[in-house]
Amino acid sequence: ALRLNQSIENTEGMAVDLINIAVVYQKLGRDSDALKSLEAALSVQDVSVATRSEAAYETARIHFRSNKLELAREWIDKSLSLNKGE
């Protein structure tokens, strides 16, 4: 799906695919790969606020599970501020 979205330059689809890949990596215990995928999703241009917020939320989840609570808080705040349109 990611390759298809890349080939047709569907930026929203690319970001969503990268978030989904990150979720799979999380389930496999590959948090560093998940964070790389989320970073890539956040770097995609012309993506909806909702998708950016989801990427930030997933990043917060990884940091929370890793007991990096300050980072988790920063990312959850980022997710919430995106949802508010700030």
Side-chain angles (χ1 to χ4, degrees):
L2 179 58
R3 287 186 187 156
L4 175 62
N5 283 315
Q6 288 172 326
S7 71
I8 61 173
E9 297 179 10
N10 176 0
T11 56
E12 187 73 23
M14 289 172 13
V16 169
D17 291 342
L18 288 163
I19 293 167
N20 289 338
I21 289 167
V23 170
V24 171
Y25 278 142
Q26 288 178 66
K27 290 180 180 185
L28 295 172
R30 295 172 55 184
D31 287 347
S32 85
D33 289 325
L35 287 170
K36 288 176 190 172
S37 187
L38 291 166
E39 184 179 320
L42 287 164
S43 72
V44 175
Q45 300 297 309
D46 300 321
V47 175
S48 71
V49 171
T51 299
R52 289 191 184 287
S53 177
E54 181 66 23
Y57 171 77
E58 290 298 332
T59 302
R61 282 177 19 127
I62 292 169
H63 290 307
F64 181 78
R65 279 196 339 272
S66 299
N67 207 31
K68 297 177 182 173
L69 302 182
E70 195 57 41
L71 273 175
R73 180 182 204 87
E74 288 174 26
W75 281 101
I76 205 68
D77 287 345
K78 201 173 288 191
S79 176
L80 290 170
S81 70
L82 285 165
N83 274 323
K84 292 179 185 176
E86 295 176 358

